[in-house]
Amino acid sequence: MDISKNLKYFFILPAVLTILSLVALAAWGLKPGIDLVGGSSLQVTYPAGRPPVDMVRDAVSNEKLGLGEVRVQPTGDFGYILRQRDLSVDEKNTLMQPLRNMGEMEEDQFTSIGPSLGAELLRKAWIAIALVVLCTVLFIAFAFRKVSSVDAAAHRTGLASWKYGVVAIVTLLHDVILPVGLFALLGYTHGAEVDALFIVALLTILGISINDTIVVFDRIRENLKRNEESNRHEEFKEVVGRSITQTITRSINTSVTVIIVLLALFFIGPAATKDFALTLTVGMIAGTYSSIFLASPLLVVWDGWSRNRKAA
């Protein structure tokens, strides 16, 4: 694969999608679920047919109820999920009354989480993501520590090992920003909320994506080592192109099999896991692309910039 001829094209798609995701995030933000900020969730079913969603919203948003904002989301063919602040027993009964007045209704589930627990979950989620990023940089810097000793004059890379870690983090940010931007859009258009499962999905994306990236990086390292042992002179961009060619089939086949399972979970799985499956699907697609067409080309750009800087 000729990296130099296609370099600029590799960056166009991720750059556009990343910018759009950041714009969506800045414009609309994310709607946190009750397990992140606290509150209560009530799921009800109308066996004989649910009333229109606008009627339900008007009924539960009545100022006389004194319950504040109540988010109403259809689920399945006959049910609704209502999310609101943490309710006492009396306030829950107050909420149930207008719902019962609209027809035969069954209460499926009621969950209540205090704001302190939600804040704790959110804090731990950020800590987990930060630790993943830090450990990734440290691991790659250690695993590729011998790469930085390669002599640039022999047409091999002079990139320090920690730069591989930085490039990996850049690609991870790309892989996470895309599903986050998507849910900012879905939150604005469909009221989609992010919850603990969303955080789990992001952490899973980080793990899977870094695995694919390291596979390509490791093949680059192996090819550089073989060139050194055989005294073969080869431009770094050629080494990277050859490494991508050797790993692209494996990476795509592995990702496609996982995506097929996730799509099955999204279309025929329970409603509770649809957002989880959608997040992972988008992250897997982004991660597969970035591992092949973003991470390694970024190394080539950085290597070229370093050489030009030294030559100057």
Side-chain angles (χ1 to χ4, degrees):
M1 181 178 293
D2 193 334
I3 291 291
S4 58
K5 287 185 179 180
N6 304 296
L7 195 60
K8 61 182 179 180
Y9 300 110
F10 294 150
F11 300 141
I12 293 176
L13 180 61
V16 170
L17 293 179
T18 299
I19 291 173
L20 291 176
S21 297
L22 291 175
V23 169
L25 186 61
W28 303 308
L30 296 172
K31 289 189 175 181
I34 64 169
D35 48 354
L36 295 182
V37 296
S40 60
S41 172
L42 173 65
Q43 182 172 343
V44 297
T45 300
Y46 290 89
R50 66 187 177 195
V53 63
D54 291 336
M55 182 184 297
V56 177
R57 287 197 179 104
D58 292 340
V60 299
S61 299
N62 192 327
E63 293 182 1
K64 294 181 180 180
L65 298 179
L67 301 177
E69 180 186 5
V70 180
R71 300 177 186 175
V72 181
Q73 177 184 347
T75 179
D77 296 325
F78 303 98
Y80 285 109
I81 296 177
L82 294 87
R83 295 182 173 90
Q84 54 283 315
R85 63 175 174 80
D86 193 19
L87 301 179
S88 64
V89 176
D90 292 338
E91 288 175 329
K92 179 198 170 187
N93 293 332
T94 300
L95 176 62
M96 294 286 288
Q97 189 57 48
L99 297 175
R100 291 194 179 97
N101 293 339
M102 287 182 283
E104 180 186 355
M105 184 205 71
E106 297 176 357
E107 178 183 344
D108 297 328
Q109 186 179 21
F110 180 76
T111 305
S112 181
I113 297 178
S116 59
L117 180 57
E120 178 71 10
L121 288 173
L122 187 60
R123 185 181 67 84
K124 288 183 176 180
W126 283 115
I127 292 175
I129 292 176
L131 286 176
V132 168
V133 172
L134 177 62
C135 291
T136 297
V137 173
L138 294 177
F139 171 75
I140 294 180
F142 175 77
F144 290 81
R145 62 193 182 279
K146 295 182 179 180
V147 174
S148 58
S149 63
V150 180
D151 184 11
H155 299 292
R156 283 168 280 164
T157 179
L159 290 176
S161 58
W162 63 267
K163 294 181 179 180
Y164 283 78
V166 172
V167 169
I169 294 304
V170 171
T171 60
L172 287 181
L173 290 176
H174 162 268
D175 302 341
V176 169
I177 286 173
L178 295 193
V180 169
L182 174 63
F183 268 80
L185 174 63
L186 293 178
Y188 175 73
T189 58
H190 294 83
E193 297 179 342
V194 297
D195 52 15
L197 271 181
F198 181 78
I199 302 298
V200 172
L202 292 184
L203 291 172
T204 305
I205 291 170
L206 292 177
I208 296 176
S209 177
I210 196 62
N211 176 71
D212 287 343
T213 302
I214 289 179
V215 167
V216 181
F217 283 3
D218 198 53
R219 185 55 60 90
I220 294 173
R221 179 178 61 176
E222 290 176 358
N223 287 331
L224 287 170
K225 184 177 180 180
R226 291 193 183 101
N227 286 350
E228 183 179 13
E229 293 173 349
S230 61
N231 198 27
R232 177 182 179 182
H233 295 269
E234 187 178 21
E235 292 285 348
F236 181 59
K237 62 184 179 182
E238 296 175 356
V239 176
V240 172
R242 183 156 55 88
S243 301
I244 292 176
T245 302
Q246 293 170 346
T247 57
I248 186 172
T249 301
R250 177 260 187 201
S251 297
I252 292 178
N253 288 343
T254 302
S255 298
V256 167
T257 55
V258 177
I259 290 172
I260 290 174
V261 175
L262 292 173
L263 289 176
L265 182 62
F266 176 78
F267 286 109
I268 64 178
T273 61
K274 285 187 179 297
D275 288 348
F276 176 76
L278 178 61
T279 305
L280 278 180
T281 301
V282 174
M284 283 291 300
I285 295 173
T288 302
Y289 182 92
S290 67
S291 299
I292 300 171
F293 301 113
L294 183 58
S296 300
L298 281 175
L299 287 177
V300 174
V301 171
W302 202 339
D303 178 70
W305 180 79
S306 299
R307 289 175 185 274
N308 292 335
R309 186 180 179 185
K310 291 178 181 179

